[in-house]
Amino acid sequence: MLGGGDTNRVRVKNRKKEMGTGSRARGLVVKTLLLIGGAVLLKRLTKSTTRWDHARIVGNSLTGQKFSMEQASRAPDNYFNFRMLTCPAAEIVDGSKVLYFEQAFWRTPQKPFRQRFYMVKPCPKELKCDVEVSSYAIRDVEEYKNFCDRPKDQRPLPEEVLGDIGEHLTTIYLKRCERGKRCLYEGSTPPGGFPNSWVMNGATYCTSELAILKNNEIHSWDRGYDIDGNQVWGAKEGPYEFKPVPASSFNDMVSPLDFPPQQSVEKRIQGSFVLQD
């Protein structure tokens, strides 16, 4: 028979045993939750990016208002401060996105000298690329001037946009950039470019290069060549670098760079492209 002290010691011992069992059970629950959470997180991190995910990323990166202001400040003899403006315009039945694009001197955005439709979609599985960006002429460019700046109820309807997609001009095939590079996607037109009978200066074909960088920065290099392979329009020193500019920076953008002599502009703007002498 146990005395009072012995009874208390047994009770304490049993209580510790119960507490130990409870702690082990709670620890097991916590470990289980951590394992489950880790598995879910790992699944999310390792989830493969689909072909349409790549197209969506490229389309979103192209969208918005960007300027070549910094580049024009560094190299005023070779580059102008242009505004590049792109926004969603329609969607094809297969999921391809149609973007409206225009380019203008930043001081006169209401007078774009270049207007296009871009169609963004995944590359066909048989091609070794991730995203296709095709450019098309617009049947009635006047109807689309400042399309992105207008309220949506004052823009052509998506079905009208699809009907106004004109001649196919170029297609750029983009691939994901390798690790360690600044870009996210980069690519170009195929070797030999595309026929270029629709622009002046005797160009017979044109080439385009495009790079999508972080922070929605775009590097774009379009060039035209004559039958002998001589470049007759487009920047010669390298691609145009378009970067988003915060609204607070607009006050700093007034510069003589943006007011080239009218005669010089007429010589350097040919058709819808910039010709660097």
Side-chain angles (χ1 to χ4, degrees):
M1 188 172 179
L2 296 174
D6 293 333
T7 302
N8 288 337
R9 280 194 295 274
V10 170
R11 287 175 179 172
V12 170
K13 187 175 180 181
N14 289 338
R15 191 176 296 120
K16 287 183 177 178
K17 186 182 294 184
E18 290 172 0
M19 291 175 64
T21 303
S23 297
R24 285 195 296 274
R26 284 193 296 273
L28 184 60
V29 170
V30 171
K31 286 181 180 179
T32 302
L33 290 174
L34 287 173
L35 286 172
I36 293 172
V40 171
L41 179 61
L42 182 62
K43 185 177 180 181
R44 288 181 179 177
L45 291 175
T46 57
K47 183 182 178 182
S48 60
T49 306
T50 68
R51 297 163 60 243
W52 286 103
D53 287 334
H54 291 302
R56 176 182 52 79
I57 293 169
V58 169
N60 289 344
S61 298
L62 288 170
T63 299
Q65 183 174 235
K66 311 174 199 298
F67 297 86
S68 56
M69 174 182 66
E70 290 183 18
Q71 191 178 35
S73 298
R74 293 196 314 266
D77 292 335
N78 297 313
Y79 300 96
F80 287 122
N81 181 5
F82 288 138
R83 181 183 85 148
M84 167 184 169
L85 182 61
T86 310
C87 64
E91 184 173 334
I92 308 293
V93 176
D94 67 0
S96 303
K97 305 295 184 183
V98 178
L99 308 177
Y100 170 77
F101 160 88
E102 68 182 21
Q103 192 171 324
F105 287 101
W106 84 271
R107 286 299 299 266
T108 54
Q110 73 280 8
K111 298 178 180 179
F113 60 81
R114 186 182 186 190
Q115 296 170 260
R116 296 283 182 267
F117 284 133
Y118 286 155
M119 190 178 296
V120 183
K121 62 181 180 180
C123 283
K125 291 182 179 179
E126 62 271 16
L127 296 181
K128 295 181 179 180
C129 59
D130 295 301
V131 182
E132 282 186 11
V133 179
S134 298
S135 63
Y136 292 83
I138 300 174
R139 297 188 191 282
D140 184 0
V141 292
E142 289 296 323
E143 180 71 18
Y144 286 86
K145 276 187 177 179
N146 310 124
F147 176 91
C148 302
D149 291 322
R150 302 184 216 165
K152 289 188 177 181
D153 61 356
Q154 296 179 21
R155 301 175 181 177
L157 297 173
E159 51 268 31
E160 294 176 300
V161 169
L162 298 180
D164 287 332
I165 297 175
E167 178 187 0
H168 171 257
L169 303 176
T170 63
T171 296
I172 298 173
Y173 300 96
L174 297 175
K175 293 181 180 180
R176 282 168 291 179
C177 295
E178 298 176 357
R179 285 188 177 183
K181 300 188 74 171
R182 288 184 59 212
C183 59
L184 299 175
Y185 298 86
E186 63 180 351
S188 64
T189 47
F194 284 87
N196 195 191
S197 58
W198 39 267
V199 83
M200 298 187 228
N201 291 340
T204 58
Y205 69 96
C206 66
T207 63
S208 295
E209 297 179 20
L210 179 65
I212 309 293
L213 282 71
K214 295 178 181 179
N215 301 319
N216 293 329
E217 182 177 342
I218 301 295
H219 290 188
S220 177
W221 197 1
D222 300 317
R223 289 167 287 179
Y225 298 87
D226 64 19
I227 195 170
D228 297 318
N230 301 308
Q231 184 178 343
V232 293
W233 58 256
K236 291 185 177 180
E237 301 301 321
Y240 262 88
E241 301 172 3
F242 291 97
K243 301 180 181 182
V245 177
S248 58
S249 299
F250 274 88
N251 292 335
D252 301 326
M253 292 175 65
V254 178
S255 165
L257 297 175
D258 302 302
F259 298 95
Q262 182 63 32
Q263 209 171 24
S264 172
V265 172
E266 290 174 356
K267 286 182 179 180
R268 299 174 75 178
I269 300 291
Q270 297 289 343
S272 299
F273 294 86
V274 180
L275 173 65
Q276 300 287 359
D277 294 327

